[in-house]
Amino acid sequence: NAGVTQTPKFQVLKTGQSMTLQCAQDMNHNSMYWYRQDPGMGLRLIYYSASEGTTDKGEVPNGYNVSRLNKREFSLRLESAAPSQTSVYFCASSELGSSGYTFGSGTRLTVV
Amino acid sequence: QQQVKQSPQSLIVQKGGISIINCAYENTAFDYFPWYQQFPGKGPALLIAIRPDVSEKKEGRFTISFNKSAKQFSLHIMDSQPGDSATYFCAASIGNFGNEKLTFGTGTRLTIIP
């Protein structure tokens, strides 16, 4: 099925550990995004990539880094996880003429 | 700083009733206003969208009403069904060229009771 694939679906980290969230899309979209979803706060943009080779900070970039590995893949890295990064992370992609953002099914991350 | 304010946070509506969710924005440069629907365990999916050159857009039981002067827009779900139970997010962006950054509201958890 065409769409956005995120891995892993669930992850528990200890404070200070690092990890990379993976995202891949097979729709040939140019733009990709990472959002975090927290209760009562909606979806907040962490980083985005308007096209292959470019990345820019969103609303809440502190504590995160991203890599646009190629047109298909956009990864999000937590270098030193903190409890405040406990959240559900969504990757999305979009393209001119596409029907809005296509979101992945999310990664639920708990930092203890 | 919440650029898109959404209310209510939660809403319970009887089957067959009208569900209404409201959003207000501050940035007058916003010119694209989509609504996303999210079921538990899933990512949000585009439901319906409007541009400010029209005051209303209808798709089936879903209608967006837009008031440019008040900087407000709302989602109306007519004849609400249990299958409509989900979290709804309004959003706004500048442009809709496939690379715009969406600013989301805080979400409304809608429950339709039989």
Side-chain angles (χ1 to χ4, degrees):
Chain A
N1 290 335
V4 177
T5 302
Q6 291 184 237
T7 56
K9 293 189 181 303
F10 301 94
Q11 184 71 48
V12 179
L13 288 180
K14 293 183 178 179
T15 297
Q17 286 186 318
S18 62
M19 80 161 294
T20 299
L21 280 64
Q22 307 287 352
C23 175
Q25 53 93 6
D26 58 4
M27 297 168 288
N28 204 36
H29 286 175
N30 275 308
S31 300
M32 299 186 73
Y33 313 83
W34 277 104
Y35 282 85
R36 60 177 289 175
Q37 182 176 9
D38 302 290
M41 304 195 75
L43 292 148
R44 293 180 293 167
L45 182 64
I46 305 171
Y47 270 93
Y48 69 103
S49 172
S51 61
E52 184 180 357
T54 68
T55 61
D56 285 288
K57 295 178 180 180
E59 181 185 356
V60 289
N62 291 344
Y64 305 95
N65 283 300
V66 290
S67 296
R68 184 73 183 267
L69 304 171
N70 47 56
K71 192 172 185 179
R72 291 186 64 248
E73 299 172 288
F74 188 38
S75 62
L76 179 71
R77 183 162 178 83
L78 287 70
E79 291 291 352
S80 178
S84 61
Q85 294 178 304
T86 293
S87 186
V88 181
Y89 292 85
F90 286 100
C91 178
S93 69
S94 69
E95 180 61 70
L96 179 64
S98 69
S99 185
Y101 282 19
T102 299
F103 281 88
S105 56
T107 295
R108 184 174 294 274
L109 175 67
T110 302
V111 183
V112 297
Chain B
Q1 181 183 357
Q2 190 68 39
Q3 291 198 58
V4 180
K5 296 182 179 180
Q6 183 172 348
S7 63
Q9 187 172 357
S10 63
L11 181 63
I12 299 174
V13 175
Q14 278 204 308
K15 178 182 176 182
I18 303 173
S19 303
I20 302 174
I21 304 170
N22 300 300
C23 284
Y25 63 97
E26 298 172 0
N27 188 346
T28 55
F30 286 147
D31 63 356
Y32 176 67
F33 303 90
W35 285 88
Y36 280 76
Q37 180 187 54
Q38 183 183 30
F39 293 106
K42 303 291 186 182
L46 179 66
L47 182 64
I48 186 173
I50 196 168
R51 301 193 71 94
D53 52 345
V54 297
S55 60
E56 186 175 282
K57 183 173 181 179
K58 183 177 181 179
E59 292 184 3
R61 296 184 294 107
F62 300 90
T63 300
I64 300 179
S65 297
F66 187 83
N67 186 330
K68 188 174 182 178
S69 61
K71 293 187 289 185
Q72 295 175 349
F73 58 110
S74 60
L75 176 69
H76 292 64
I77 305 174
M78 312 299 288
D79 187 26
S80 299
Q81 298 297 312
D84 297 329
S85 296
T87 299
Y88 292 81
F89 292 96
C90 61
S93 68
I94 301 170
N96 180 28
F97 307 109
N99 60 0
E100 70 284 357
K101 296 179 292 180
L102 283 173
T103 298
F104 286 88
T106 51
T108 296
R109 178 172 290 185
L110 174 65
T111 303
I112 308 301
I113 55 175

